[in-house]
Amino acid sequence: MQQQQASSHAGPPTVRRVAVVGTGVIGASWVAYFLARGLEVSATDPMPGAQQKLREAVARHWPSLEVLGLAPGASQQRLRFCEKLEDALEGADFVQENGPEREDLKIALFQRMDAALPAHVILASSSSGLLMSKVQAACVHPQRVVLGHPFNPPHLIPLVEVIGGALTSPEAVQTALAFYTAIGKKAIHVRKEVKGHIANRLQAALWREAFHLVEQGVASTEDVDTAIAYGPGLRWALMGPFLNLDMSGGEGGIGHMLDHLGAPIESWWADLGTPAITESLKATLREGVAQQVQGKSAVDIAAERDQLLVKLLAAKSQTRFIP
């Protein structure tokens, strides 16, 4: 598959062991993916029962990764769980941190990891919205701190956003990009630090109008989900917004499309809502989603989603012209 055929080896020669710090939903998914790419993984998490939950999650993700294709040497047995952070970091060539989204906690955690590892080892954070310029502030070697933000679930979704902080070296950014690319990820370099990075900002723009439409009684939560999942979402799964606009313009491409629809698009922008997430709106959204899922468990829905994702990734790997 495309995700696994990006490289014939597990990663750059210097990266053989990855330390995964924090093994919740995102961390566990990363662990499964790193193992599937033939790497050794040492993991740690202070939560009670973390090791058992992690191994159960990896086992749950493994069938999907087998369908996509395992790298040589891939094995769940190459996972080592450590109670102490420093033990998990020992011998690591790359670190993927997935702790709580709290700036003070991450600053302290990165300071501790920075003190425990040689200066050349990249420290990458999965943070969804924090700025690395602040996270790296207390480190003696801040130049090796980067953001390596995945998209959920990381064991299936290829996207990783790589961003450096004010003190991050260009070499560290390029090393992180090269590592993620070598293990089959679609890594992009976000040139400037902005809240939410790229993909989450795009999602937030859509969520804002989705919430507005529900709040104003224009649509139910199910109507909005259907509009996306059976409308533009199908195209977005194949190519991004700019290529879709280019296709909409026919032979004239995006230029022709904007000449003819630019003014209407601007009028839609001017009419977009700016809702507030009030208790009333929260209740409306909860009630709407509850009606949609009809008592199905999140685990069952996620399993079905993952099956579809595997098929979609397999189909995308066979395309010739769509990047």
Side-chain angles (χ1 to χ4, degrees):
M1 307 305 174
Q2 184 177 4
Q3 192 176 3
Q4 277 70 36
Q5 288 178 345
S7 173
S8 60
H9 53 81
T14 54
V15 179
R16 297 182 180 87
R17 175 181 295 171
V18 178
V20 176
V21 179
T23 59
V25 173
I26 299 299
S29 186
W30 265 127
V31 168
Y33 187 79
F34 290 139
L35 291 171
R37 303 318 308 142
L39 297 167
E40 296 180 13
V41 177
S42 55
T44 186
D45 191 298
M47 293 297 291
Q51 178 173 189
Q52 181 178 345
K53 290 179 181 178
L54 171 59
R55 294 189 183 279
E56 289 173 352
V58 170
R60 191 166 60 247
H61 298 329
W62 205 252
S64 295
L65 291 163
E66 287 180 319
V67 172
L68 288 170
L70 301 178
S75 171
Q76 296 180 59
Q77 303 306 312
R78 301 186 78 177
L79 168 60
R80 179 171 63 99
F81 189 90
C82 304
E83 299 292 337
K84 289 184 58 178
L85 172 65
E86 284 75 13
D87 290 341
L89 296 175
E90 186 177 355
D93 303 308
F94 191 94
V95 177
Q96 189 74 41
E97 174 273 332
N98 316 276
E101 199 75 354
R102 281 179 42 197
E103 187 176 284
D104 58 338
L105 187 150
K106 285 196 189 288
I107 289 173
L109 179 59
F110 270 77
Q111 182 181 32
R112 190 174 165 189
M113 294 191 298
D114 181 59
L117 284 165
H120 69 277
V121 177
I122 300 295
L123 306 181
S125 175
S126 295
S127 173
S128 296
L130 298 179
L131 303 181
M132 289 301 100
S133 291
K134 294 187 176 181
V135 171
Q136 68 188 180
C139 293
V140 175
H141 304 291
Q143 71 277 2
R144 42 90 165 268
V145 175
V146 302
L147 184 104
H149 177 242
F151 228 56
N152 192 30
H155 70 283
L156 294 181
I157 302 293
L159 177 65
V160 180
E161 298 170 311
V162 177
I163 311 171
L167 301 176
T168 304
S169 71
E171 292 77 16
V173 170
Q174 292 305 314
T175 297
L177 286 166
F179 168 65
Y180 289 127
T181 299
I183 61 171
K185 290 293 186 182
K186 287 286 188 181
I188 60 174
H189 179 202
V190 183
R191 271 75 172 177
K192 294 182 179 181
E193 285 188 302
V194 290
K195 291 181 179 179
H197 324 315
I198 295 176
N200 276 335
R201 289 178 71 93
L202 293 171
Q203 283 197 130
L206 177 60
W207 292 333
R208 183 172 71 176
E209 187 58 20
F211 286 16
H212 174 69
L213 292 173
V214 172
E215 182 184 49
Q216 295 298 309
V218 176
S220 67
T221 59
E222 185 172 10
D223 293 333
V224 171
D225 280 358
T226 299
I228 295 300
Y230 289 91
L234 290 172
R235 296 188 307 201
W236 293 340
L238 306 178
M239 60 181 77
F242 291 118
L243 277 181
N244 269 302
L245 286 173
D246 192 59
M247 295 295 293
S248 296
E251 291 298 322
I254 191 171
H256 176 77
M257 186 271 177
L258 293 177
D259 286 342
H260 286 76
L261 289 179
I265 290 173
E266 287 184 333
S267 73
W268 299 339
W269 286 344
D271 194 52
L272 294 177
T274 54
I277 304 178
T278 62
E279 291 303 318
S280 175
L281 179 55
K282 288 180 187 178
T284 300
L285 297 176
R286 283 195 298 265
E287 184 177 320
V289 173
Q291 292 177 3
Q292 287 180 252
V293 300
Q294 296 180 343
K296 297 176 183 175
S297 75
V299 172
D300 289 339
I301 293 174
E304 189 168 322
R305 175 203 64 187
D306 288 358
Q307 290 177 8
L308 288 171
L309 277 173
V310 168
K311 293 175 183 177
L312 176 60
L313 288 167
K316 283 175 69 71
S317 72
Q318 304 303 316
T319 62
R320 295 177 57 196
F321 303 114
I322 299 176

